Amino acid sequence: MAPRAMWKGQLRLSLVSIPVELFSATRSGASISFRQIHKPSGKPIHYQKVVEGIGPVDVDDIVKGYEYDDDRYVLLEPEEVDAVKLETKKTLELVQFVDTSDIPPLYFDKPYYLVPADELAEDAYRVVRDALRTSNKIGLGQLALRGREYLVAVKPCGDGLLLETLRYADELRKADPMFSEISGKKADKELLDVATALIERKTAPFNAEAFKDNYAAALKELVKRKMKGKSGRVEIEEEERPQKRGDNVVDLMAALKKSLESGEGKKPQTKAQSSSRRGRRKSA
């Protein structure tokens, strides 16, 4: 079964809009997972949503609540949450570009494949892909997905584009408290030489297929042995949803030229530059 797009919208570069679809680049099925089973009956365990002093509740009676103080909540109805207007729900605009080495690995979260929605979108898609590759840059933007807005990075990946969600700065813990107890003393010279030689000896091009999940393989082998007994099986079919194609792409060359003429291609201003310009206008 073909994978289902988890997001459909427009990839925008200035005045150029490209219909695209987003697919997860990872497979959850690659690892082994388990269900909790009630051993006496052999039936799977289910979880109920309950309220203390009331018991199980109807899903229609559940709303989102923000706890602003101990046991004090602001309640939000589903339609109120859906009404929050964010352009990034349908449009991923590349607002800044950085060198590929500028983003520390700590910020990268999860990879996705960003693909053109139809054949008409491919020309513009290829231009963005090849421009990023030629300039050795990564495009930055924001995307609303699954109830939150993500900071994302877009970069070439083979014949296509890879989108990676990034962590915001306030989501990262500072390293100093973790490393504060480590002495600043340098490593012993002889030990360092030996360790460096070992690293050099084991250095080779990266090949992910050379590494296997041995624990998952051992668990699968255990499952196979158990299945030779009288174990039961449960199959769950996923509901298929129809896919829709995107809109036609605008005239690429005209949009790019118009973007340059309108000043859209200028570098993004820093806060310091913006403040300085406002100051000069006031003094004038």
Side-chain angles (χ1 to χ4, degrees):
M1 184 176 66
R4 180 169 56 89
M6 58 190 308
W7 180 84
K8 298 180 182 182
Q10 303 285 326
L11 174 64
R12 181 184 296 169
L13 175 58
S14 189
L15 299 180
V16 179
S17 293
I18 309 167
V20 291
E21 298 179 345
L22 192 69
F23 297 87
S24 177
T26 59
R27 293 188 301 119
S28 59
S31 59
I32 190 168
S33 60
F34 297 100
R35 286 286 306 273
Q36 289 188 324
I37 304 297
H38 179 234
K39 189 174 181 179
S41 67
K43 296 181 179 181
I45 301 295
H46 297 283
Y47 295 91
Q48 289 183 311
K49 295 182 182 296
V50 299
V51 175
E52 186 177 353
I54 296 177
V57 296
D58 193 302
V59 66
D60 293 333
D61 292 332
I62 300 175
V63 297
K64 294 182 182 295
Y66 175 78
E67 188 174 12
Y68 63 90
D69 201 353
D70 290 343
D71 295 328
R72 295 177 180 270
Y73 303 89
V74 172
L75 303 183
L76 301 175
E77 297 293 337
E79 55 270 20
E80 292 179 311
V81 176
D82 293 338
V84 175
K85 300 298 182 182
L86 282 177
E87 187 179 0
T88 52
K89 283 185 177 181
K90 291 296 182 181
T91 302
L92 166 57
E93 182 171 6
L94 301 181
V95 297
Q96 185 183 348
F97 298 90
V98 299
D99 291 335
T100 55
S101 59
D102 275 0
I103 306 176
L106 196 61
Y107 282 90
F108 288 100
D109 183 24
K110 188 175 180 181
Y112 298 86
Y113 294 128
L114 192 64
V115 304
D118 50 42
E119 291 184 3
L120 293 176
E122 287 186 10
D123 285 342
Y125 179 91
R126 283 192 292 266
V127 170
V128 173
R129 178 200 64 193
D130 293 347
L132 289 173
R133 180 172 286 129
T134 300
S135 60
N136 201 30
K137 301 292 184 182
I138 293 177
L140 299 180
Q142 288 179 285
L143 175 67
L145 185 68
R146 291 180 172 175
R148 61 167 294 187
E149 188 174 51
Y150 291 90
L151 173 63
V152 302
V154 176
K155 57 186 177 182
C157 176
D159 292 332
L161 290 172
L162 185 71
L163 180 149
E164 292 187 82
T165 54
L166 302 176
R167 298 178 178 90
Y168 288 101
D170 59 3
E171 293 181 284
L172 297 177
R173 292 178 176 175
K174 294 187 179 299
D176 293 345
M178 310 296 176
F179 300 149
S180 60
E181 300 299 323
I182 301 176
S183 170
K185 182 180 178 181
K186 292 185 177 180
D188 179 84
K189 179 64 169 59
E190 292 184 5
L191 294 175
L192 180 61
D193 290 341
V194 173
T196 303
L198 286 172
I199 290 173
E200 290 294 335
R201 183 182 300 175
K202 291 180 174 290
T203 297
F206 175 69
N207 177 17
E209 294 182 357
F211 298 87
K212 305 297 180 184
D213 188 340
N214 298 310
Y215 183 64
L219 286 177
K220 289 178 181 179
E221 184 61 31
L222 173 60
V223 170
K224 286 181 180 179
R225 293 199 304 268
K226 297 285 288 186
M227 287 178 66
K228 293 178 181 179
K230 297 181 179 180
S231 301
R233 300 182 186 182
V234 178
E235 295 184 3
I236 301 175
E237 296 182 359
E238 294 185 3
E239 180 180 354
E240 296 186 12
R241 298 183 182 179
Q243 297 189 32
K244 297 180 180 180
R245 308 307 292 174
D247 299 326
N248 293 342
V249 67
V250 299
D251 183 81
L252 178 60
M253 184 57 70
L256 286 173
K257 287 183 177 179
K258 190 173 181 180
S259 298
L260 290 175
E261 291 170 359
S262 65
E264 289 285 345
K266 293 181 180 179
K267 294 181 178 180
Q269 290 185 4
T270 63
K271 292 183 179 179
Q273 289 173 332
S274 300
S275 300
S276 176
R277 289 189 179 183
R278 286 197 297 270
R280 288 200 297 270
R281 285 199 296 267
K282 290 181 179 179
S283 61

